Amino acid sequence: MKKNVEISREHLLYLRGTRNKSIIVNVIRCAVLVLFLTIWELSAQLLWVNPFITSSPSRIAKTIADLYKNGSLFLHVGTTLWETLAGFAIAVVLGYSIALLLWWSDALRRISEPYFVVLNALPKIALGPLIIIWCGTGSEAIVFMTVLIGLIVAILNMLNGFMATEKSKLLLMQSMGANKLQVLTKLVIPSSLPNFISMLKINVGMAWIGSIMGEYIVSKAGIGYLIVYGGQVFKLDLVMSAVFILCVLAAGMYALVALAERLLIKNK
Amino acid sequence: MKEVLRFDNVSMHYHSKQGETVALEKVSFSVHEGEFVAIIGPSGCGKTTLLSLAAGLLAPTKGKVSALNVSLGYMLQKDELFPWRTIEKNIFLPLEIKRANTPQNRAHAVALAEKYGLKQFLKNYPSQLSGGMRQRAALIRTLAMNPDVLLLDEPFSALDYQTRLSVCDDVYKIIRNEKKTALLITHDISEAISVADKIFVLSKRPAKIIAEHLLEFPENEPLKRRENKEFSRWFEILWKELNQ
Ligand SMILES: Nc1ncnc2c1ncn2[C@@H]1O[C@H](COP(=O)(O)OP(=O)(O)OP(=O)(O)O)[C@@H](O)[C@H]1O
Ligand SMILES: [Mg+2]
């Protein structure tokens, strides 16, 4: 709005100061990581610790390279990624729709409330055996697990957002003669956008928990499978490598959601 | 003068688990075309209830509220502009809701906004405007549907004192200029005196009308009225009535 024709010297100094500060923070962040990896590597090389148990950065790199060479890296990454994304998408879409329905119908919301509270408190992993019987031992079972874990959280988060619409804004819409659909599309959905974003962020985490936990229970491939298998045959290099890959994937997915946030919320 | 809004022996009872609240008791009055009517009453006496009844957002327990072939526009205490819409899009909101979002109606709304000093802000978001400007935008939004009668519920109470005086002056002039009828509800005695042709005084809850006054000033702009010596005389009269 305001066009600053000239920027004062003080303001320039201020801008440079904040830029310098963020550079310093980034440099230190990297240094911490490098230091950590160096100490880890050194203590394994010099046998301060038993590398068989702690693994080491170089062993992890070698393990991942081996997985890549024998062609199974992308199989495992692809399997888990697919399960996670499918579970995430289904939980978000279904959760949003059910929350809309509950917002729309007071009766439905009040009747179903105790059920949601119980389902939310229930540890979903307890349903593991049932899921295997219902969905078999393929990827479907793991997607189902992922959806189960994310769905209730998604519903409750979105419903909270819908119900938190300001009373006075509802009154304004009413005074203009808006019907329920107009209230929904013009007020409730846009005003709950921040809740939608935070729901996405929470559900990214939930989806990874769901898919890895699902793979612990039943799987033939995937990162969770690598972790369980590595643990069983005492190949801790494999376990550490799988955890490392998981970190990279989760960070990537979070970055995507953060990007979506910036695109969705244009004006602050 | 034509009657545009009438309350006949209107009573309003609220029911809740805690019990029954009688908000209004046998309230009768009417508003005529072109009038600027103010209703003052102590806080919590039932003013908002009265306005909601007038707007048809509530149905009275007893009695009858009639809007006589007029359309109403409601302006709330806060501006309630939607932060995710630009000022222009906010002003179009009632058009969208009434399914009257035609090029002519939009042009009319934009013309109003431009006439009253919002031209440069049309593409801005509400957060980029001052409180006074936002309230003005809220008034233009109310006027966009071209209502005959404006219902104003303490529209300035969220503003600081300085802004309140100038925005009140502003809104008054716009309403007069557009030849609208207005019903203003407030607990601020001086605000009522500075704008109204006619003042009704409400008692404590349950609210009844306890007095009616016709005001005449040589000059009608709110800021001029505040300087007139009649102003303090009216203030004393109304203050006594409110606190008896
Ligand atoms: N929906 C409701 N249910 C029950 N009681 C209500 C309801 N709305 C208002 N009341 C009660 O009715 C009385 C009048 O309320 P109202 O909001 O009309 O007063 P007011 O004069 O506008 O108050 P204020 O000065 O705070 O704006 C209050 O005692 C209030 O508690
Ligand atoms: Mg009120």
Side-chain angles (χ1 to χ4, degrees):
Chain A
M1 189 171 78
K2 271 181 260 163
K3 284 191 204 88
N4 276 340
V5 188
E6 51 188 301
I7 299 174
S8 72
R9 225 173 69 83
E10 291 77 11
H11 191 64
L12 269 179
L13 281 177
Y14 165 81
L15 286 181
R16 198 168 303 152
T18 49
R19 187 158 2 107
N20 286 347
K21 250 182 223 149
S22 71
I23 289 174
I24 291 172
V25 167
N26 278 330
V27 167
I28 295 179
R29 272 182 193 157
C30 294
V32 167
L33 184 66
V34 171
L35 191 69
F36 172 72
L37 291 179
T38 313
I39 292 177
W40 188 6
E41 183 67 40
L42 272 180
S43 34
Q45 296 276 350
L46 302 175
L47 296 178
W48 295 341
V49 294
N50 183 353
F52 188 66
I53 291 173
T54 62
S55 188
S56 74
S58 60
R59 294 171 74 132
I60 290 175
K62 188 173 169 305
T63 312
I64 293 178
D66 288 346
L67 282 175
Y68 176 72
K69 268 181 226 143
N70 70 25
S72 62
L73 179 64
F74 290 111
L75 170 72
H76 293 298
V77 169
T79 306
T80 302
L81 206 55
W82 183 83
E83 291 159 354
T84 310
L85 289 178
F88 173 77
I90 295 173
V92 165
V93 171
L94 209 60
Y96 199 94
S97 318
I98 293 176
L100 277 182
L101 209 67
L102 294 177
W103 176 84
W104 191 277
S105 162
D106 266 327
L108 203 59
R109 184 174 65 247
R110 290 174 60 181
I111 292 167
S112 60
E113 196 186 345
Y115 297 105
F116 282 119
V117 171
V118 171
L119 284 180
N120 192 32
L122 178 78
K124 278 33 144 214
I125 191 145
L127 301 175
L130 281 180
I131 293 174
I132 296 176
I133 293 167
W134 291 343
C135 306
T137 55
S139 272
E140 296 82 11
I142 294 156
V143 172
F144 192 77
M145 182 64 140
T146 310
V147 172
L148 266 188
I149 287 185
L151 184 63
I152 308 288
V153 179
I155 294 174
L156 294 181
N157 260 298
M158 268 340 287
L159 186 60
N160 253 337
F162 293 154
M163 299 306 290
T165 313
E166 276 177 76
K167 291 271 176 317
S168 48
K169 291 210 165 49
L170 288 170
L171 187 71
L172 174 80
M173 292 295 280
Q174 217 188 335
S175 80
M176 295 186 206
N179 61 32
K180 201 157 185 174
L181 187 63
Q182 289 174 324
V183 172
L184 179 68
T185 55
K186 297 198 188 297
L187 173 59
V188 173
I189 289 180
S191 75
S192 63
L193 191 61
N195 295 78
F196 179 63
I197 304 273
S198 77
M199 185 266 262
L200 286 186
K201 284 182 178 162
I202 294 170
N203 269 67
V204 168
M206 290 291 166
W208 286 108
I209 295 177
S211 60
I212 298 300
M213 223 160 71
E215 287 179 357
Y216 281 5
I217 302 174
V218 51
S219 63
K220 299 186 196 78
I223 314 245
Y225 165 83
L226 283 184
I227 294 175
V228 173
Y229 172 75
Q232 279 165 354
V233 300
F234 231 76
K235 276 212 232 165
L236 294 184
D237 290 340
L238 191 58
V239 175
M240 290 291 196
S241 305
V243 170
F244 173 76
I245 294 170
L246 200 56
C247 281
V248 173
L249 291 178
M253 196 152 151
Y254 191 87
L256 280 183
V257 172
L259 184 73
E261 174 174 15
R262 246 183 296 142
L263 290 180
L264 280 173
I265 303 190
K266 280 158 287 175
N267 75 337
K268 255 191 305 182
Chain B
M1 260 189 309
K2 206 178 97 193
E3 228 182 3
V4 288
L5 186 68
R6 188 168 65 220
F7 275 56
D8 287 314
N9 277 315
V10 172
S11 299
M12 183 70 203
H13 300 211
Y14 284 114
H15 299 276
S16 66
K17 284 197 185 118
Q18 285 75 37
E20 186 173 6
T21 312
V22 182
L24 298 183
E25 183 140 295
K26 296 211 168 121
V27 172
S28 299
F29 69 93
S30 48
V31 177
H32 297 87
E33 193 172 1
E35 274 182 335
F36 203 126
V37 174
I39 295 185
I40 59 173
S43 67
C45 75
K47 300 185 295 297
T48 298
T49 305
L50 192 148
L51 216 57
S52 303
L53 285 165
L57 300 176
L58 289 174
T61 314
K62 282 188 220 128
K64 187 155 176 276
V65 178
S66 7
L68 305 152
N69 287 323
V70 286
S71 58
L72 304 168
Y74 201 154
M75 188 161 160
L76 300 155
Q77 187 165 346
K78 289 196 287 158
D79 55 70
E80 304 301 351
L81 296 169
F82 292 176
W84 56 87
R85 283 175 172 243
T86 58
I87 296 299
E88 185 175 39
K89 286 273 158 50
N90 265 292
I91 291 173
F92 293 159
L93 181 67
L95 303 180
E96 292 172 23
I97 286 171
K98 293 261 164 59
R99 302 191 194 292
N101 199 2
T102 59
Q104 294 101 294
N105 285 342
R106 279 201 302 271
H108 169 246
V110 168
L112 268 178
E114 290 181 348
K115 186 165 161 195
Y116 296 115
L118 286 170
K119 183 170 186 171
Q120 77 218 76
F121 299 117
L122 281 175
K123 301 284 182 224
N124 286 129
Y125 286 92
S127 61
Q128 297 167 306
L129 269 66
S130 67
M133 274 298 161
R134 294 170 57 127
Q135 204 59 18
R136 201 190 285 204
L139 176 64
I140 304 298
R141 178 184 59 197
T142 315
L143 292 173
M145 276 309 291
N146 210 2
D148 306 306
V149 181
L150 291 172
L151 305 173
L152 311 164
D153 188 357
E154 312 208 25
F156 315 118
S157 57
L159 304 170
D160 65 82
Y161 186 70
Q162 285 296 328
T163 321
R164 190 154 78 212
L165 290 191
S166 71
V167 174
C168 176
D169 200 60
D170 227 46
V171 165
Y172 175 85
K173 283 178 188 158
I174 296 175
I175 290 175
R176 277 287 136 114
N177 219 338
E178 299 296 318
K179 304 200 168 43
K180 300 290 177 193
T181 308
L183 175 59
L184 167 79
I185 298 268
T186 178
H187 67 263
D188 184 335
I189 299 173
S190 49
E191 199 167 278
I193 303 172
S194 68
V195 296
D197 308 320
K198 193 192 268 180
I199 297 182
F200 293 105
V201 183
L202 292 178
S203 66
K204 292 205 183 73
R205 199 162 50 92
K208 290 185 288 289
I209 291 187
I210 53 177
E212 172 182 348
H213 302 283
L214 283 174
L215 277 70
E216 279 189 44
F217 279 83
E219 284 166 309
N220 275 329
E221 278 105 78
L223 290 175
K224 297 251 172 65
R225 276 193 180 193
R226 281 178 190 266
E227 286 162 8
N228 197 296
K229 57 184 181 307
E230 282 284 284
F231 192 88
S232 49
R233 191 176 68 82
W234 277 117
F235 192 94
E236 253 170 66
I237 295 172
L238 292 168
W239 199 82
K240 282 203 188 105
E241 284 173 355
L242 267 184
N243 290 286
Q244 64 189 324

